[in-house]
Amino acid sequence: MVRRVLAVVTLLACAVVPLSADLRVVSKLEIRKVESTEAPNPFFAMLGQAMAQQMELMNGAETTTTIGDGVIRTEASKPMGGMPAGTITILRSDGTMIGINTTEKTYFRTRMPDMSAMVAAGIKPIITVTRTGEFSTLLGQRVERVVLDMRMPLPIPAEARAQMPPEFPTEVAMTIENWTAEAYKAYGTQMIKGNPAMAALGLGEVADIGFAMRQIVRTQMMAGYEMETSVTSVSEISAPAGFFDVPEGFTEVPPPAGVGGGRGGRGR
């Protein structure tokens, strides 16, 4: 569940206001062990080790992301989200997700995960935004450290909980530490507001914190580990025609197992 949320947070795309240009961002992912003075919940500790082994395949991945009006294009150097290295992912504001394999000249079309069912089940996160007022400079941009604390309740019926050990968790906690640039705020806002998955989870309230130039994610689901994404290059560009479309002559195939929230229609 949280893995899906992390994936959606990493691959957001939506249209809010027209942008004067497209934003091209190159970033690097690092997953590392961290020490903690608190003993992890035994259930999360076991799950965290398993997730960390899977996430290690992504460690060191370089991702190139281009944000346009109502669309975002991502290409990663390593396998991510169940897709092979080099897959181009295109996300549109209507929830459509397209994966393009340039090696095999194929593509698939699906939908972003529908979070409304999670909200209906009581899994809407409680979010606290803390603007620290701590400023620094990254890639020539003035950034502020902004911390998001998220707590997502686990909707376990009372009769089922009565059969569980007392230490079984009742919620999942996540801390997202951001260093946000005001200069690219419009792109950060567009990446959250209007996105159907994020709207369902009620994350629109964090849309105006700015564009994250650096981000560190810590969650109980990966106890003993943290994920840091650092922007290594950022620039405003004019993407060429067809950049956010499926190339001509590519063949549509079914989406990989576990990717997206359902099969979409054919065509571009």
Side-chain angles (χ1 to χ4, degrees), residues 2 6 14 29 65 75 83 91 96 98 114-115 139 152 174 191 211 223:
V2 172
L6 287 173
C14 62
L29 174 67
T65 303
E75 183 174 357
M83 293 175 284
L91 299 178
T96 300
I98 301 171
D114 183 1
M115 300 296 182
L139 297 181
M152 185 172 295
M174 179 187 302
M191 289 175 66
F211 185 84

Side-chain angles (χ1 to χ4, degrees), residues 42-185:
F43 297 95
F44 286 139
M46 294 177 58
L47 181 60
Q49 291 179 359
M51 288 187 64
Q53 291 177 355
Q54 297 180 17
M55 297 291 286
E56 183 61 31
L57 298 174
M58 299 164 50
N59 199 12
E62 184 177 83
T63 302
T64 300
T65 303
T66 306
I67 305 168
D69 274 330
V71 62
I72 186 169
R73 182 186 193 268
T74 303
E75 183 174 357
S77 64
K78 289 192 174 185
M80 297 187 74
M83 293 175 284
T87 298
I88 296 172
T89 301
I90 297 174
L91 299 178
R92 301 191 185 282
S93 59
D94 63 0
T96 300
M97 175 178 176
I98 301 171
I100 303 172
N101 188 321
T102 56
T103 301
E104 299 181 358
K105 293 190 175 181
T106 59
Y107 74 97
F108 67 83
R109 188 183 299 270
T110 184
R111 304 285 299 179
M112 294 181 68
D114 183 1
M115 300 296 182
S116 59
M118 294 173 58
V119 175
I123 318 179
K124 185 176 181 178
I126 301 171
I127 306 168
T128 302
V129 180
T130 302
R131 286 190 171 275
T132 66
E134 300 172 12
F135 293 91
S136 57
T137 302
L138 291 175
L139 297 181
Q141 297 297 325
R142 185 171 184 262
V143 298
E144 180 185 8
R145 188 172 74 89
V146 181
V147 181
L148 306 181
D149 288 308
M150 302 174 59
R151 294 187 174 275
M152 185 172 295
L154 299 176
I156 303 174
E159 59 273 16
R161 181 165 293 281
Q163 306 300 319
M164 296 178 178
E167 66 270 22
F168 194 87
T170 59
E171 65 179 12
V172 176
M174 179 187 302
T175 299
I176 306 177
E177 194 172 4
N178 302 276
W179 284 260
T180 63
E182 183 74 16
Y184 300 124
K185 181 178 178 179

